[in-house]
Amino acid sequence: MEARSFVLRGALAGAVAGLVAWVFALIFAEPQVEAAIGYEEGRGAAEEALATAAGAAPAGGAEEEVVSRGVQATIGVGVGMIGIGIAVGLLFAVAYTLLHGRVALRPRVLALVVAGAGFLTIYATPFVKYPASPPAVGSDETIGDRTALYLVMVVGSIVFLAAAVYVARALRERLGTWNAVLVGGVVYVALAAILMTVLPGLGELTINVVENGPRVTETPLPLRDASGAILYPGFDADVLYDFRVASFAAQALLWGVLGLVFGGLVERRLAKGETTERPAETTSV
């Protein structure tokens, strides 16, 4: 099969995967987002009341929504997820093309291996250090720092996977395939752990240290008045946990569906190619 055929199937598989991930996120992640937005609005009102009681000027009014929350939560997220799925599918097809014919695995199995490697390096490993957070968790002033740190983890994870593959291939003849793969896996985990140790946690960013003091966290703590009495509770830990589980599961579903659909499309195409070649062979005999 030519590379263009792989790319087209990667885009189609990515669109399907994005659609499935969107439906999952709509059911399981969106309620947590709504709860987080409700918390953010309630805390904002409490902070404004506290500032007014202290004699401070009231903050400016809320910005008018260009797109309603209902559209954002449904069509907006759906278009975004499908678009991300197509983009991931195109990158996936490129990686698959580089390995096709060079690895002794049937297309469906190879597609699942590539999908698993992509999920591990692009999402799962960075998630361990910098997990996804719903609205109200994380200061707006740290968006740039958070994005940069996450990208460092993604790039590092990809480089570490390449290093692990190189080590496994170098040791395959000496240790055997299985043992070489295990050594490569240890190399990947060790390098990723070192990078995670070196990079700062999000709670260690300057603005979070200023706001939360010795408690190294980016999750909003209870809002207190001058006497220390709690005026508004901290962010619900259950909402944060459920959102992160749903986000992780949605990405796992996206990559899993991508591998399954792409592998199935490729095997179907190869099977059609074989059936069209056989009659020509029989007639020549």
Side-chain angles (χ1 to χ4, degrees), residues 15 30 49 71 76 135 173 184 216 226 244 248 253:
E30 191 57 33
V71 174
E173 294 184 1
V216 181
R244 288 177 171 173
F248 188 90
L253 191 62

Side-chain angles (χ1 to χ4, degrees), residues 97-191:
T97 301
L98 295 175
L99 296 174
H100 182 70
R102 297 179 175 87
V103 180
L105 295 174
R106 57 179 293 190
R108 192 184 300 271
V109 176
L110 178 58
L112 289 176
V113 170
V114 174
F119 173 70
L120 173 68
T121 55
I122 295 177
Y123 188 81
T125 298
F127 182 92
V128 173
K129 179 65 177 181
Y130 301 120
S133 296
V137 176
S139 171
D140 292 341
E141 299 180 29
T142 64
I143 290 178
D145 293 334
R146 283 183 283 159
T147 301
L149 289 172
Y150 187 83
L151 288 177
V152 169
M153 272 303 309
V154 171
V155 173
S157 181
I158 294 173
V159 172
F160 300 156
L161 179 64
V165 171
Y166 176 82
V167 170
R169 293 185 63 181
L171 298 177
R172 183 174 57 185
E173 294 184 1
R174 183 184 305 176
L175 301 179
T177 300
W178 179 247
N179 290 332
V181 170
L182 289 179
V183 173
V186 170
V187 170
Y188 176 83
V189 172
L191 292 175

